[in-house]
Amino acid sequence: MQRSGSADLPLHNGQVPPWLAARMAALGKAIVEEIIAGQGKSALLSKLSDPFWFQSLGAVMGMDWHSSGITTSVMGALKSSINPLARELGICICGGKGRHSRNTPQDILRFAETTGLNAPGLVRSSKLSAKVDNTAVQDGFQLYQHHFIVSDEGQWTVIQQGMRDSSATARRYHWHSPSVQSFTETPHTSIYGANQGTILNLTDKLAQPLKTAMMEVATENPDRMLPEIAKMRHLVMPGHHDVRAKDVDLKRLGAVLWLAQEKQVQNFEELLLLEGLGPRTLQSLALVSEVIYGQPTQFKDPARFSFAHGGKDGHPFPVPTKVYDETIDTLQQAIQRAKLGRKDKMQAIQSLSKITERLAEDFIPDGSIDEVIARERAESWKYGGRTVFGKAKGPHGRQLDLFDDKG
């Protein structure tokens, strides 16, 4: 196994309101279902192990784009919507925050009973990853949540978070098991009888290098560990709550905003099935499409994905609940059609990500990020804008132009 990355986040308190939690669960479920259907469970675990992708997922779901609360809220939303379908999807989210983290072994055991996985080996991996981040590397952060996401194929990802009160910051750690094909190919992993899935047997002699590596990491001197950690993907989120131009790739965001204008959709044959959607929903759907289908290099600026559904505290703008609901409905309809063999609508949604990526290559943004945010806030009332402080009111402010393509 390997630590795949980490993220430093401002420590924020507060609860996710029920109206947002329900939508986060629904959108998270749709995203996970499509990733598994189109790319596989291994791809989902790989994405979850990337701190930049995970932060982008939280932003596109309407949480605070940069705060520590993303970890709790996103994992809570996914656990509530994915675990009831664990057998169908072949994915289970174990553990959680506080006392729920102590239930990780029991959660793993329950999932292992239905899949034929080697529960003691998985529990060991869970405990070792926590031991390393809490003890082996003395970085001043005390773990307070631990999520172990495991597939019925025996692969897993760990997402856990520590807190440091003295600096009011949190640090999220990501772990990812490499491919376990070398273990599943041995006769030891086969069982005679009804097939309940691939068995991960860490007692096999071929697993000895992995177990040795685990113990070396767990007992390694921090002086040797820290240079290795420095090579991993590390995300540092700023302390300011507002979204600023320096937080966003303006070329990519500008391409999304330009494409989202209704008249632009007609220029792309791949998007004809999406013509009926309003431009504001297309803006959100394009960013959601990027989260589902995008490459790792596209997630260097997680703040950009907050322009899909805003944030619960009003940054960069209130959550547009009507747009959020239409985005979820569009995704769910496309997923259901795909299950019936009609993949045209899902392919159109996938094309959104590809087209905006192409457009961004030569796109020259013309306009201020502050203008875009001001327009979103001024029109928030149209889209059912909400924050933890209440509903958006008014029409107010002037209409502002989107980015224009000068390329």
Side-chain angles (χ1 to χ4, degrees):
M1 68 180 178
Q2 61 180 5
R3 170 100 73 77
S4 53
S6 61
D8 285 359
L9 313 160
L11 190 60
H12 284 184
N13 296 317
Q15 299 294 321
V16 179
W19 57 263
L20 178 58
R23 290 176 169 89
M24 289 180 67
L27 181 58
K29 174 177 174 289
I31 289 173
V32 166
E33 280 191 290
E34 176 53 22
I35 290 174
I36 291 176
Q39 303 168 53
K41 290 168 279 193
S42 179
L44 174 66
L45 292 175
S46 179
K47 291 176 186 293
L48 287 169
S49 72
D50 183 340
F52 288 83
W53 185 87
F54 186 86
Q55 199 73 18
S56 300
L57 173 66
V60 88
M61 292 171 79
M63 260 300 292
D64 297 334
W65 65 279
H66 75 320
S67 77
S68 61
I70 273 186
T71 312
T72 306
S73 59
V74 170
M75 294 310 301
L78 292 182
K79 187 172 184 178
S80 67
S81 60
I82 298 305
N83 279 11
L85 303 172
R87 293 194 67 172
E88 175 187 340
L89 296 176
I91 289 284
C92 183
I93 299 174
C94 307
K97 181 180 178 181
R99 61 182 176 84
H100 296 292
S101 66
R102 296 189 288 274
N103 295 334
T104 306
Q106 289 72 32
D107 293 343
I108 293 173
L109 285 169
R110 280 193 292 269
F111 186 61
E113 287 175 356
T114 66
T115 56
L117 294 174
N118 184 306
L122 293 170
V123 170
R124 179 181 176 83
S125 297
S126 166
K127 289 182 176 180
L128 276 172
S129 64
K131 186 72 170 177
V132 169
D133 286 336
N134 213 36
T135 305
V137 180
Q138 299 291 334
D139 58 3
F141 290 85
Q142 185 69 34
L143 291 188
Y144 66 100
Q145 54 181 302
H146 174 85
H147 308 270
F148 190 86
I149 309 99
V150 61
S151 77
D152 57 9
E153 297 168 345
Q155 295 190 11
W156 50 264
T157 285
V158 168
I159 299 173
Q160 54 195 0
Q161 188 158 291
M163 180 192 309
R164 182 160 63 185
D165 290 330
S166 60
S167 60
T169 56
R171 177 166 291 174
R172 189 174 66 237
Y173 307 92
H174 294 252
W175 292 76
H176 185 219
S177 68
S179 171
V180 294
Q181 292 301 313
S182 61
F183 305 144
T184 59
E185 290 174 355
T186 63
H188 237 91
T189 61
S190 299
I191 57 174
Y192 184 76
N195 182 8
Q196 294 184 302
T198 304
I199 297 174
L200 175 63
N201 182 5
L202 287 180
T203 63
D204 189 283
K205 64 180 181 180
L206 292 179
Q208 189 57 47
L210 177 60
K211 291 189 287 186
T212 300
M214 287 178 179
M215 296 310 298
E216 288 177 351
V217 170
T219 58
E220 187 59 80
N221 187 302
D223 291 338
R224 284 190 58 191
M225 286 288 295
L226 292 176
E228 292 301 314
I229 292 172
K231 299 175 185 177
M232 302 174 194
R233 288 170 64 78
H234 183 59
L235 173 65
V236 179
M237 300 303 287
H240 57 264
H241 211 153
D242 55 317
V243 177
R244 303 174 184 176
K246 65 184 181 63
D247 303 318
V248 176
D249 185 331
L250 297 179
K251 287 169 65 71
R252 287 193 178 277
L253 179 60
V256 169
L257 297 177
W258 181 84
L259 179 67
Q261 297 178 60
E262 197 162 15
K263 63 179 181 293
Q264 305 298 347
V265 174
Q266 301 166 4
N267 298 337
F268 299 93
E269 185 177 340
E270 308 102 297
L271 303 183
L272 292 180
L273 281 173
L274 302 178
E275 255 190 294
L277 292 179
R280 185 56 187 80
T281 300
L282 275 170
Q283 175 182 322
S284 295
L285 204 57
L287 290 165
V288 171
S289 173
E290 195 169 345
V291 166
I292 296 174
Y293 303 107
Q295 299 301 310
T297 54
Q298 295 174 230
F299 303 105
K300 63 182 181 180
D301 59 330
R304 174 164 51 96
F305 294 90
S306 65
F307 284 82
H309 300 123
K312 69 178 180 65
D313 288 349
H315 294 285
F317 47 82
V319 176
T321 57
K322 294 179 181 178
V323 172
Y324 207 139
D325 291 342
E326 191 171 9
T327 301
I328 293 170
D329 187 56
T330 303
L331 267 179
Q332 289 176 336
Q333 287 184 30
I335 290 170
Q336 291 306 313
R337 286 168 64 98
K339 289 179 179 178
L340 298 174
R342 299 157 62 191
K343 299 183 179 180
D344 49 353
K345 195 161 189 176
M346 188 55 76
Q347 289 169 345
I349 293 173
Q350 183 175 1
S351 294
L352 278 170
S353 175
K354 296 178 180 178
I355 290 171
T356 53
E357 184 178 8
R358 291 201 308 266
L359 288 173
E361 292 178 1
D362 300 317
F363 196 89
I364 300 176
D366 180 23
S368 164
I369 193 77
D370 293 332
E371 290 179 341
V372 176
I373 293 173
R375 191 203 75 249
E376 287 279 1
R377 290 180 176 176
E379 298 183 352
S380 180
W381 63 277
K382 295 181 182 179
Y383 307 119
R386 293 188 72 170
T387 70
V388 293
F389 309 110
K391 297 182 180 180
K393 297 179 181 179
H396 63 281
R398 60 187 181 86
Q399 295 293 317
L400 296 162
D401 294 331
L402 298 174
F403 289 174
D404 294 320
D405 182 19
K406 302 296 184 181

